Amino acid sequence: MPDAPPPPSSRSLPRGAADVDIVVIGGGVNGVGVARDATMRGLKVALFERNDLAFGASGNSSGMIHGGPRYLTYDPAVTETSCRDSGHIQAIAPHLLFRIPFLMPVEKSARAKVMLTLMDGFFQAYDEFQPLKRGKPHARLTADELHALEPGLRGDLEGGMSFDEWGIDGARLCTANALDARERGAKIHVGTTIESIERKPDSGEVVAVRWRDLRNGRTGRMTTTAIVNATGAWAPITAALGGLEAKRARLRPGKGIHIAYDRRLTNYAIGATTIDGRQIFVEPWQNMTVVGTTDDDFYGDLDDCTANSEEVRYLVQGIARVFPAIRSARAIHTWAGVRPTLYAYGKMEDALSREHEVVDHAAHGAPGLYSMIGGKLASYRLFAEEMTDTLATQFRLGSPCSTHKSSLPGGDEVVDPFALAQRLEIDAVAARRLVYRHGSRAALIEERIRERPREAAVVCPCEPVLEAEVRHAVAEEMARSVDDVARRTRLGLGACGGMRCAARCGQIVVEERGLPPRFAREMAARFLVRRARTRAVALGPEQARQEALAIASARAELGLLDANLDSQTESEPR
Amino acid sequence: MSAPRVVIVGSGLAALAAAFTASRGGAEVTLVSGGVGASALYAGAVDDVPWDELERSAEISGAALEARPLPAELSAFAEALDLWRVAEDGAPPPRLVTTAGITRSAQAHDRALLDLGTCRGRTVLVPRAERAGWDADSLVRCLRGAVSPADEVDLAAIGAPVLRFDEERDIVDVDLAARHDDDARLAWLASTLAAEIERWGRASVALLLGPWLGASRYRADALSARLGVPVGEALSATSGTAGARFERARDALLDKLGARVVAGWVTRVEGGAAKPRVVLRAGEPLACDVVVLATGGLIGGGVRYAPPEYGAPAEGAKAVRPPLTLSPEVAGAHLSFGGDHGPASSTQGPVLDERAWPRGPEDGALERCGVWVDERGHLAKKVLAAGDVVFGGRRTVLRAVASGLAAGRAAAALDRPESPAERAP
Ligand SMILES: Cc1cc2nc3c(=O)[nH]c(=O)nc-3n(C[C@H](O)[C@H](O)[C@H](O)COP(=O)(O)OP(=O)(O)OC[C@H]3O[C@@H](n4cnc5c(N)ncnc54)[C@H](O)[C@@H]3O)c2cc1C
Ligand SMILES: Cc1cc2nc3c(=O)[nH]c(=O)nc-3n(C[C@H](O)[C@H](O)[C@H](O)COP(=O)(O)OP(=O)(O)OC[C@H]3O[C@@H](n4cnc5c(N)ncnc54)[C@H](O)[C@@H]3O)c2cc1C
């Protein structure tokens, strides 16, 4: 067979032969992870993200950096690796992680005692690895102890367990990786979709990508030596852009939703079971409470995926059985993401391949094209390392991975939020949030405020977010709209749903980007309507009243009839 | 024949309008006020059809926006309320400025709001103030982009202080507004602004402030008289300042009308053949000849939305209850979201996912939901309904007032044996 591609391992890719060595498609955690790793190893990288960094699963997950307890039963080595990597993420971005103590209540039943004993043994095994991620050992609790810890627990309980996990803000994790990659020389293009992948007609090798900036319609072509398809649940569609059959990047798209409530109802994450026996949870998140999550096949529009009221009801009913206080809280927003779950599980002896897989499409006649399928937030760094190792071999690079050794932006130094609050004369909560999101980089925002004290103004009073941080998000973190700012700063995601800050934020974005002022209103209205859609599915008595007020306010101040509020693409000047 | 006794439930614009015509019709009026509703939260703009809809259709048809005359009865009500400035017939409608940085039209408006139409040929000065939600520079920038050449106005941010004490950076808008009720404080404000205005020249400027010009009375005219330039507030939908001024004007008008006001929450209204009774959560029921329900929509609290999974026992609802309820409860009342939002649209209640908010020219289900009435405003025998509580129509001030006026008129006419109210469903 003369035109068969050489086996993947024997090929060697030249560096510097095209505009870039690698084009990464997708700005989720895996895409930015690879962009960072490959750039650190000396490759020239361009990343294209069609929507915004963390727009997909990475910004809409449960945000747990767990240590893989579920592999314990068949391969403890995998749990060990997972825990160690959770420890690595902690080491490079300590500011972004927060402890989530879990309570797992077990309801009285014939099997309850046996269950508890099994769980006890299971978590005892997990305790072995907890030190790798600075986790605390588990505890077996009686029903009374559970009630003492969380008086809101209801139901006839036999007892339960506590164990320890870590949480992270997925959008911040993506932003940090993207910033680091960019600072090391990668080019990051947000709001820019890849429309096609060009390959040589004879050898099938990748040559270039064609891109389009979705907000102003500009298009272009970029030549490249290799392409990494890191588009999560979009992966089959992306593979098809290069003329491959979608099944070459096959996965199961599993939609999951979360509901956020207006206040902190508990200090523990609490596990609960749904009517069909699935594990779900309620967890505290800063000043709010979050409930998650579902897992349903999803074959709809990945760029417009929102929770629906049936999903919300399913979760609320499950949680309310053990934690009825959830019914009294006000749902302030919901979010939905689609997991890129591996379609066919990998070989049993390699348990991690159950989670993710690097596909070298040379095997499908497309040398230079790779797909990252599956993965977890918690294992993104490992997955990126595996992907980059493959690339390094192809580019004949000797340099090993060092992404676990150097800090992500902001992770190099611990900052005292109270001292910051005092220096800037800002609210302590605002300072705490700044430090959480930016770590030592909070200094950049502090600098802005020193130069222009008026930027200490609070734009979003609910969260709270300062004007300087909004400007920083646009000027330094690639935010281009109110939605993007919200993803990076949580602006508008609090109790008022953006009513008090969307317009102001729109004005700042427009000003920082040098756009005509009329775009401010459109951006704000678009944000409000999108936020509202995510709340509408979880309306209860008080929410509905608040919602009606929000509509009246938005109508009075902004007007809601802009022709293209519903359309995905915005029309900005070139 | 003695005067008919009319009980009006609610204390918003619709209730007040009903009290107005019912008193004029010779009825003995009792108003039951449950608290704050949409009228006490409104932003000061007064519309018939939502302004955004009007402007959009004008844009499509290319026709210029024109103020339409108010019907005589509405005019009389507006005059008695003494709160709004109403555009003259055929004149271009007022152009208001909002804190979101846009300009918008209205049929009429709270007198404290600035109408750019009064500022032709002038530069509108916007003082800076260190308050969340007020950024003079950004407002100026946005408004410059928003005004058209035909408006003949320019804008500029100025540094003259408008806050007197440090704490005024943080107090809510309506509290700051209340400080300007005081004459001495208003004089201080005028004095800090005078120098800047002189510098620009009185003939060439106007002044735009936040929603701070009086909570119990509008102070824009007083300030304007002192400074000799047009003065007004920017419309703000979250401040509550205009709503506070409405509440004051309402209380004054009710006083003038001699209406009895009872504070309390009504739980049930019994209509039917016998004399209707209005049952309060606390206190003696009120007996009367006719009831006007002006309890507002979701905002006012007259309509409540509670899908079955809320308030249900922890094990989940066994019986499906209607998701919409009327407060107070009236036997036989029929509520609706309209169209496809009936209780059967899902096994567990209505699915509002896509329809809660307005979409394009369609109003949202939450705006529209309410109780069905017949063409004469009757919801049950001897029970009329007016304002936002009524299904359909648009949630605007003039609609609420017009329906309130009609309901009050009909209620007072009850003493005639074959009155419309007697022929109710
Ligand atoms: C509900 C839910 C809960 C989860 N909980 C956890 C958890 O607790 N812990 C954990 O570790 N993991 C969790 N996960 C899994 C984890 O979030 C995902 O596996 C991971 O984020 C996948 O990242 P990704 O970069 O591969 O994909 P994504 O984050 O989905 O990124 C793909 C990106 O590609 C972009 N894109 C698509 N097409 C194109 C194109 N043509 N051109 C340019 N860009 C394109 C998209 O806009 C998108 O931003 C959860 C996932 C979900 C859905
Ligand atoms: C923020 C905002 C901005 C607005 N902007 C505009 C605008 O620009 N232009 C415009 O034209 N319109 C605007 N509106 C709409 C307008 O204000 C309303 O349509 C109008 O005020 C409705 O009046 P109402 O009397 O029917 O209801 P409400 O004012 O809501 O009055 C209902 C009253 O009934 C009372 N009540 C309810 N149930 C009971 C009970 N069971 N017992 C006793 N009392 C009870 C409530 O306490 C309340 O006092 C706006 C509204 C809001 C909230």
Side-chain angles (χ1 to χ4, degrees), chain A residues 499 545 548-557, chain B residues 8-17 31-51 96 104-108 235-240 246-247 250 262-269 278-281 293-304 326-329 386-390 394-401 403-404:
Chain A
M499 285 315 303
R545 192 173 184 196
L549 184 57
I551 296 170
S553 304
R555 258 204 205 281
E557 261 193 28
Chain B
I8 300 169
V9 188
S11 54
L13 280 152
L16 181 64
L31 195 127
V32 191
S33 166
V36 169
S39 312
L41 296 168
Y42 91 132
V46 175
D47 299 304
D48 178 359
V49 175
W51 72 275
L96 309 176
R104 54 157 285 187
S105 58
Q107 280 276 92
L235 174 144
S236 152
T238 46
S239 69
F246 159 72
E247 289 185 292
R250 171 198 62 199
V262 176
W265 195 259
V266 179
T267 54
R268 198 153 42 89
V269 170
V278 173
V279 183
L280 295 160
R281 188 182 285 156
L293 212 62
T295 47
L298 282 168
I299 303 174
V303 177
R304 308 189 127 246
L326 182 63
S327 163
E329 179 193 316
D388 280 5
V389 70
V390 176
R394 313 315 294 266
R395 280 5 182 188
T396 60
V397 167
L398 290 178
R399 288 297 174 94
V401 171
S403 64

Side-chain angles (χ1 to χ4, degrees), chain A residues 261 306-310 313 316-317 320-321 324 327 329 331 454 458 467 471 499-500 503-504 507-508 510-511 514-518 520-521 528-529 532-533 535-545 547-563 566, chain B residues 36 41 43 50-53 56 98-104 128 132-133 135 137-139 141-142 145 235-238 298-301 304-316 346-354 356-364 366-367 394:
Chain A
Y261 291 87
T306 51
N308 66 45
S309 37
E310 301 293 342
R313 284 170 179 161
V316 173
Q317 281 171 8
R321 277 187 49 195
R327 287 188 202 276
R454 287 194 23 238
V458 174
E467 177 176 336
R471 291 192 186 272
M499 285 315 303
R500 297 198 279 170
R504 180 76 192 94
Q507 291 163 11
I508 296 171
V510 161
E511 195 183 323
L515 293 173
R518 71 193 154 88
R521 169 187 180 186
L528 288 175
V529 170
R533 267 181 74 200
R535 287 190 304 260
V537 296
L539 291 182
E542 283 313 306
Q543 289 97 314
R545 192 173 184 196
E547 209 57 39
L549 184 57
I551 296 170
S553 304
R555 258 204 205 281
E557 261 193 28
L558 275 175
L560 284 174
L561 289 171
D562 284 343
D566 280 338
Chain B
V36 169
L41 296 168
W51 72 275
D52 43 355
E53 206 172 299
R56 188 149 159 73
T98 82
T99 46
I102 63 158
T103 69
R104 54 157 285 187
R128 299 190 177 98
D135 183 328
D137 295 276
S138 139
L139 201 57
R141 200 175 157 272
C142 290
L235 174 144
S236 152
T238 46
L298 282 168
I299 303 174
R304 308 189 127 246
Y305 172 68
E309 73 270 23
Y310 281 88
E315 289 310 308
S346 147
T347 48
Q348 300 194 52
V351 177
L352 289 177
D353 305 19
E354 294 289 318
W357 270 56
R359 281 211 150 187
E362 242 176 276
D363 43 354
L366 296 181
E367 290 180 287
R394 313 315 294 266

Side-chain angles (χ1 to χ4, degrees), chain A residues 367-384:
Chain A
L369 178 60
Y370 303 87
S371 287
M372 297 175 79
I373 309 291
K376 290 245 137 201
L377 218 55
S379 55
Y380 91 95
R381 202 206 57 83
L382 265 179
F383 194 10

Side-chain angles (χ1 to χ4, degrees), chain B residues 26 56 65 72 103 119 172 208 251 269 284 286 308 315 326 349 375 381 384 395 398 417:
Chain B
R56 188 149 159 73
L65 284 172
T103 69
C119 307
V172 296
L208 177 72
D251 295 349
V269 170
E284 284 296 300
L286 304 168
E315 289 310 308
L326 182 63
E375 69 280 5
K381 218 169 187 181
L384 294 124
R395 280 5 182 188
L398 290 178

Side-chain angles (χ1 to χ4, degrees), chain A residues 164-456:
Chain A
D164 202 25
E165 288 297 2
W166 292 92
I168 200 166
D169 179 332
R172 288 308 312 173
L173 181 63
C174 290
T175 307
N177 275 281
L179 285 179
D180 199 51
R182 193 178 64 175
E183 283 162 20
R184 293 170 190 272
K187 289 270 182 301
I188 312 281
H189 305 276
V190 291
T192 308
T193 187
I194 294 301
E195 292 196 313
S196 67
I197 294 170
E198 282 179 28
R199 289 160 53 201
K200 281 198 185 136
D202 48 351
S203 63
E205 278 170 276
V206 301
V207 182
V209 291
R210 288 191 175 275
W211 53 262
R212 175 188 297 272
D213 186 326
L214 285 179
R215 305 196 197 192
N216 58 26
R218 261 198 311 236
T219 56
R221 177 175 183 270
M222 182 180 280
T223 59
T224 181
T225 309
I227 295 174
V228 175
N229 167 16
T231 50
W234 287 260
I237 305 172
T238 310
L241 299 179
L244 289 181
E245 287 172 285
K247 71 170 185 212
R248 299 303 185 195
R250 198 171 197 186
L251 49 80
R252 187 182 79 80
K255 178 185 175 191
I257 74 146
H258 290 84
I259 317 163
Y261 291 87
D262 66 338
R263 60 202 118 113
R264 193 172 168 111
L265 295 164
T266 164
N267 286 321
Y268 298 92
I270 301 167
T273 317
T274 59
I275 36 171
D276 56 347
R278 287 189 53 255
Q279 275 290 323
I280 56 174
F281 65 87
V282 52
E283 72 168 340
W285 211 108
Q286 295 185 343
N287 51 342
M288 310 183 309
T289 301
V290 170
V291 166
T293 175
T294 53
D295 191 358
D296 297 297
D297 285 4
F298 180 79
Y299 294 100
D301 181 358
L302 290 165
D303 292 298
D304 189 18
C305 170
T306 51
N308 66 45
S309 37
E310 301 293 342
E311 292 162 328
V312 169
R313 284 170 179 161
Y314 167 82
L315 288 182
V316 173
Q317 281 171 8
I319 295 294
R321 277 187 49 195
V322 287
F323 194 66
I326 202 72
R327 287 188 202 276
S328 65
R330 184 156 76 83
I332 51 177
H333 96 261
T334 63
W335 68 86
V338 182
R339 297 176 188 84
T341 315
L342 277 197
Y343 190 82
Y345 288 130
K347 292 184 293 286
M348 281 304 269
E349 55 271 29
D350 178 9
L352 251 198
S353 75
R354 256 172 285 243
E355 292 289 7
H356 64 235
E357 185 183 347
V358 169
V359 179
D360 181 346
H361 292 294
H364 312 125
L369 178 60
Y370 303 87
S371 287
M372 297 175 79
I373 309 291
K376 290 245 137 201
L377 218 55
S379 55
Y380 91 95
R381 202 206 57 83
L382 265 179
F383 194 10
E385 178 176 341
E386 285 172 30
M387 179 70 245
T388 316
D389 281 348
T390 305
L391 292 167
T393 315
Q394 307 281 291
F395 280 99
R396 302 225 183 282
L397 283 179
S399 41
C401 174
S402 58
T403 51
H404 55 304
K405 290 188 190 140
S406 58
S407 295
L408 282 168
D412 52 344
E413 237 178 85
V414 178
V415 177
D416 176 4
F418 297 102
L420 181 72
Q422 263 178 357
R423 285 201 301 275
L424 289 179
E425 293 178 46
I426 57 174
D427 188 48
V429 178
R432 180 75 198 80
R433 296 288 169 79
L434 265 185
V435 169
Y436 172 72
R437 290 190 281 262
H438 301 273
S440 62
R441 296 252 168 136
L444 295 178
I445 290 153
E446 179 172 7
E447 211 170 290
R448 289 195 74 109
I449 297 177
R450 284 205 189 294
E451 279 166 26
R452 290 164 294 258
R454 287 194 23 238
E455 289 191 11

Side-chain angles (χ1 to χ4, degrees), chain B residues 145-216:
Chain B
V147 296
S148 70
D151 289 324
E152 292 174 50
V153 291
D154 195 10
L155 295 109
I158 59 170
V162 293
L163 304 182
R164 193 166 186 183
F165 305 105
D166 274 356
E167 46 147 18
E168 288 176 1
R169 288 186 211 159
D170 301 315
I171 61 176
V172 296
D173 286 315
V174 64
D175 288 347
L176 182 56
R179 300 198 170 182
H180 294 120
D181 288 343
D182 176 45
D183 285 326
R185 172 58 191 260
L186 201 72
W188 174 85
L189 183 60
S191 69
T192 75
L193 293 165
E196 187 89 21
I197 285 172
E198 290 305 332
R199 221 164 50 73
W200 287 77
R202 281 177 191 227
S204 62
V205 295
L207 187 67
L208 177 72
L209 289 161
W212 313 317
L213 291 175
S216 58

